[in-house]
Amino acid sequence: MAAEQSANELFRPRSQKTDGQVVAMRPSLTHFQQVTRKLVRNKLAMVGFTLIVLMVLMALIGPHLVPYSYSDQSLLTANQELSAEHWFGTDELGRDMFSRTWYGARISLIIGITAALIDLVIGVTVGGIAGYMAGRGKRGDRIDTIIMRLIEVLYGLPYLLVVIMLMVVMEPGIVTIIIALSATGWTGMARLVRGQILQLKNQEFIMAAQVLGAKFPRILLRHLIPNTIGVIIVNLTFTIPSAIFAESFLSFLGLGVQAPIASWGTMTNDALGVILTGDWWRLFFPALMISLTMFAFNVFGDGLQDALDPRIRE
Amino acid sequence: MARYLLKRILMMIVTLWIIVTLTFSLMHMIPGDPFASESDQLPEQILLNLRAKYHLDEPLPMQYLSYLKSLAMLDLGPSIKSETRGVNDMIKDGFGSSALIGMQAIAVALFFGLIFGIIAALNRNTWIDYMAMVMAVLGIAVPSFIMAPLLINYLAIKLPLFPVATLASWKHSVLPSLALAFGPLAIITRYMRTSMIEVMNQNYIRTAEAKGIPTFLIVVRHGIRNAILPVVTFLGPLVAGLLTGTFVVEKIFAVPGVGKYFVDGIFNRDYPVILGTTVFYSAILVLIIFLIDLAYMFIDPRIKLSGRGR
């Protein structure tokens, strides 16, 4: 009995909190946790992230913070400097710049995000099919070749020229811009995904899935795409700002959204006309917002890329 | 080598043909024609005659074929809005101004981009590096059509250093070139910095250091030559962006370049002008990318183009 008791005392389970080797071990992290940790520690990326959140928030509530809509004209209060009534001043038609600026944010974000998502869907599907089909017999190779030729041709076309053409042909408006941007924009994503899939598909786990009888859509959705998701997301964070840029570029040229809808591009263009009168706020706010948005998405994308790169360790 | 060149030239022609076809069909899908604005004032017969003069009454395939035929002889056709001048004349007039601004912008971007990138890489994680990086991020964040009004506001109006509007003298070309150069400059700085850092960690650099070769010579002889390669591959898309950037910059600074004719052509629905300038721009672009690929081969003798797929 005594021996048993002492044995029980001897083999008391160790308390979790005690010092020693157990604590010195690093808690194991999932891939996702590692990535978020690296990302959160990257100050610049977090600045970008905060800016993106703020921008989305202001796009949602900004226009409602003031009692003026983006298109309310009032010639009595035209060309006013910043004041308690008009936080960002007014333009030559007396429209409130604060309301217009955030309405423009709405337009930019809607176009940027929608265009990027369409690019994502088309790009991943086409790139995925091309990558998977390559090297599976004559028929598969032919499908891959056809897709790649198409992409090569589209990729070789001067992107903005084609978008400008499409904008000239179609009715101006938000939907048109999105269609025009995604008509050629998906090729980058498709190339990227195809390359990734080509690399992945000869690895053992794909072979194992095939041996177990998994069908192509299942392999694509469950195995190939989850493994390329990092690169895809990084690409997405760079497509959004370039779509936003393209929208302001087109609107600046007069081919984008039409008056009275406010967009940062049209606002910049309007500001050019009054540049000599010294109404600095007309140029300042849209210019600042475009630049901040481009900055935010780019630094966040950079940070994400670094965080997902397994070669960069802390 | 010869086979590769042939293949590339063939690809270039196919790309151009697709662009022409695409542009042609898009142009003719537009509701309304170049005389839409005058259709109220002009009698029916005159409108018919006008359309006949520019062959707009012919069936589309005929128009397409005759356009291809004249294109093969490098004739881009007449302009509908301008009585006296054809598209060739417009491009001839505008090309000088556009090329001047474009070349200056590329030269400035390359020169300063490479230098900033190298300096940043050699002084990694010092304030010099951070300054260069802040500038690089700014350059990506501020598009040329924002940069241009800012430059006008501060360097032409507040501080009247440079004249703007038209291209009367070389001084007029400074601000447009700067507005265009800023973005590519930032991108080149970033790429050069990254690749220079990588190259400077290579073994052969350490060997050179061990031999006692001065840092300057190491950087010039071994560092730059190897680090510049990724930058060269990136020049293609960069030039493309610069080319489209010229539309806005030319519009903002009222430079009488090809970009201005292109934008005006779009607003006037002047088919031959739009088609002609698009074809012209695409040809320039395709040619430049081809030349960059060739240049790549000369910089890096390890690359054998004949073996590559494209």
Side-chain angles (χ1 to χ4, degrees), chain A residues 169, chain B residues 22 24-32 60 271:
Chain A
V169 178
Chain B
L22 198 73
F24 185 86
S25 28
L26 282 177
M27 279 308 97
H28 287 276
M29 269 189 242
I30 304 176
L60 277 185
Y271 302 138

Side-chain angles (χ1 to χ4, degrees), chain A residues 224-304:
Chain A
L224 294 175
I225 289 175
N227 277 294
T228 55
I229 203 89
V231 199
I232 291 175
I233 292 176
V234 169
N235 190 278
L236 204 62
T237 53
F238 292 118
T239 348
I240 294 175
S242 70
I244 291 178
F245 163 76
E247 182 273 321
S248 0
F249 182 92
L250 291 172
S251 297
F252 182 86
L253 279 180
L255 289 167
V257 295
Q258 301 295 304
I261 297 179
S263 143
W264 293 336
T266 51
M267 286 164 79
T268 313
N269 195 12
D270 292 346
L272 264 184
V274 295
I275 202 163
L276 281 170
T277 60
D279 293 354
W280 59 271
W281 61 91
R282 292 290 302 281
L283 178 62
F284 178 76
F285 291 108
L288 179 76
M289 293 311 159
I290 297 177
S291 307
L292 270 185
T293 313
M294 300 283 288
F295 168 80
F297 276 104
N298 276 299
V299 291
F300 182 68
D302 277 348
L304 202 60

Side-chain angles (χ1 to χ4, degrees), chain B residues 51 53-54 60 63 90 97 113 132 142 148 164 170 188 190 256 268 289-292 303 305:
Chain B
R51 292 206 176 98
K53 187 185 170 198
Y54 294 106
L60 277 185
Q63 290 188 41
M90 288 185 176
S97 318
V142 184
V164 284
W170 176 78
I188 292 174
R190 263 168 71 114
N268 293 332
I289 290 173
F290 175 62
L291 289 178
I292 288 171
I303 291 170
L305 290 177

